Amino acid sequence: MDEEQEREVVHEIEHETQVERPPKVPVASHQLHSDVETFVQLGSIPRGSTAFVKIFESLTNTSAAFKECDRWTDSVFATADFCNTVQLEPDTTADPYLRAVNWVISSDKDQPPILVVVSPYEAHRLLPTIRDSKTVHLHIYTPRTVQSMPPCDDLKLYSIPAVPNTWTPPSFLVDHLNVFAGQLYLRDYATYIRLCRFLCLQARDLEADGDFIIQSDGFIKPEDRPPKARTGGSFQESPILSLKKLFGLRRKGMTYAPTHMGKILDARLLTEDDFRDQTCDDGRDQTDSTL
């Protein structure tokens, strides 16, 4: 057959996912500090204790370190055992080794109340003491990363011992805990506005305040803020870059752009419609049965 035949060649590209895991490093030894035991017994953090660190100061050795850590709350801490996951070499970051937030101890002895993020090891070791405590409660917590997931940031999903039905943690403490833990979906529109006011970001509640200058990331500089956005102790520089780093570390490379926090960090304004039809169950069992 002498006729020339023309064939269409379809080039197929084969994609193969290659997971890049962090290098192996020695695991840090767990340690239950005596000051943590004292906190569980008395409900107060011993003055000058090195066993506790403010949650955003614990990010100092990561790429998500904040320049203005003092702007965040002084009432949410993490223990040293929670922060120390591996034995790092000098000049290396802890980016791949951040521990997830799952156990929180609350104390109402001081005002404002104190929240302390602890490691699973500490939660297990302290459980017998916490069960008999009159000053602290141990709460199960997990950040809300799926919109259909009921929020548990009211810390009432499971508490030991059970908290009263009227007990509610302060909203600003929960807001900061959620950001640190990498929560992607906010509880409601009021929470969104409160977070934007704290972070000094543009939101629709400022539309009636006239014209003012907004940075490309949504941050409003101190000299450009309308009266409603001016609060004492607010950020002087944009925290958006560090927040993007933090959420990137929490998500471990998974996209989060369509979520509430993804839109906020991309300088996209949310409306009340973004919070409609969210799954929320307030009738959860708070009893202390078995763990």
Side-chain angles (χ1 to χ4, degrees):
M1 189 173 183
D2 297 332
E3 296 181 5
E4 294 184 0
Q5 294 182 349
E6 183 177 340
R7 295 183 179 181
E8 181 179 353
V9 179
V10 178
H11 297 280
E12 296 183 357
I13 301 177
E14 183 177 341
H15 294 275
E16 182 178 351
T17 303
Q18 294 184 348
V19 179
E20 184 178 355
R21 302 189 183 280
K24 292 184 178 180
V25 293
V27 177
S29 300
H30 285 294
Q31 180 182 10
L32 179 59
H33 199 283
S34 59
D35 286 349
V36 178
E37 294 181 288
T38 300
F39 166 70
V40 170
Q41 294 168 358
L42 303 180
S44 298
I45 294 178
R47 186 180 299 273
S49 174
T50 59
F52 301 86
V53 60
K54 298 172 187 177
I55 51 175
F56 287 93
E57 291 182 358
S58 71
L59 301 172
T60 302
N61 63 339
T62 71
S63 60
F66 286 80
K67 293 181 179 179
E68 299 178 272
C69 285
D70 58 331
R71 307 301 177 184
W72 299 91
T73 178
D74 293 335
S75 299
V76 184
F77 297 85
T79 62
D81 191 70
F82 172 86
C83 300
N84 299 329
T85 56
V86 295
Q87 301 177 28
L88 292 174
E89 296 291 334
D91 300 325
T92 58
T93 66
D95 285 5
Y97 311 106
L98 290 183
R99 195 191 301 275
V101 179
N102 292 122
W103 299 98
V104 179
I105 298 178
S106 67
S107 170
D108 292 332
K109 184 174 182 180
D110 299 321
Q111 292 299 323
I114 294 174
L115 300 181
V116 176
V117 181
V118 298
S119 68
Y121 172 82
E122 291 172 309
H124 175 72
R125 287 284 306 276
L126 294 168
L127 186 57
T129 305
I130 293 175
R131 285 191 186 277
D132 299 328
S133 175
K134 303 297 182 182
T135 58
V136 301
H137 299 269
L138 177 65
H139 310 272
I140 288 180
Y141 170 90
T142 187
R144 186 182 177 203
T145 56
V146 180
Q147 191 165 18
S148 59
M149 171 185 175
C152 66
D153 52 10
D154 59 0
L155 303 181
K156 294 182 180 180
L157 177 63
Y158 189 89
S159 301
I160 303 173
V163 296
N165 292 331
T166 56
W167 182 86
T168 303
S171 299
F172 74 96
L173 296 187
V174 173
D175 291 345
H176 294 205
L177 175 65
N178 287 339
V179 171
F180 176 73
Q183 177 150 301
L184 298 180
Y185 289 93
L186 307 181
R187 177 175 289 271
D188 49 35
Y189 187 71
T191 302
Y192 161 66
I193 294 297
R194 186 172 61 246
L195 184 61
C196 286
R197 292 290 60 75
F198 171 73
L199 297 175
C200 305
L201 301 179
Q202 160 69 336
R204 296 189 184 276
D205 67 316
L206 300 179
E207 289 181 343
D209 287 15
D211 297 331
F212 50 90
I213 300 175
I214 306 168
Q215 303 304 304
S216 60
D217 60 359
F219 183 73
I220 308 173
K221 290 184 176 181
E223 61 270 21
D224 299 325
R225 290 170 193 165
K228 189 183 296 184
R230 296 174 185 171
T231 57
S234 57
F235 286 94
Q236 302 300 299
E237 299 181 27
S238 174
I240 295 299
L241 181 59
S242 292
L243 287 171
K244 286 184 176 181
K245 289 282 189 179
L246 174 59
F247 278 84
L249 295 178
R250 291 297 190 193
R251 297 304 297 156
K252 298 187 182 299
M254 298 177 61
T255 182
Y256 61 94
T259 68
H260 292 162
M261 287 305 303
K263 293 177 181 179
I264 292 172
L265 298 183
D266 284 340
R268 297 164 61 186
L269 299 183
L270 301 182
T271 66
E272 295 190 42
D273 290 338
D274 290 294
F275 299 89
R276 300 190 192 280
D277 301 324
Q278 295 198 98
T279 301
C280 184
D281 181 9
D282 292 328
R284 293 173 298 208
D285 184 11
Q286 303 173 31
T287 58
D288 171 14
S289 54
T290 59
L291 183 65

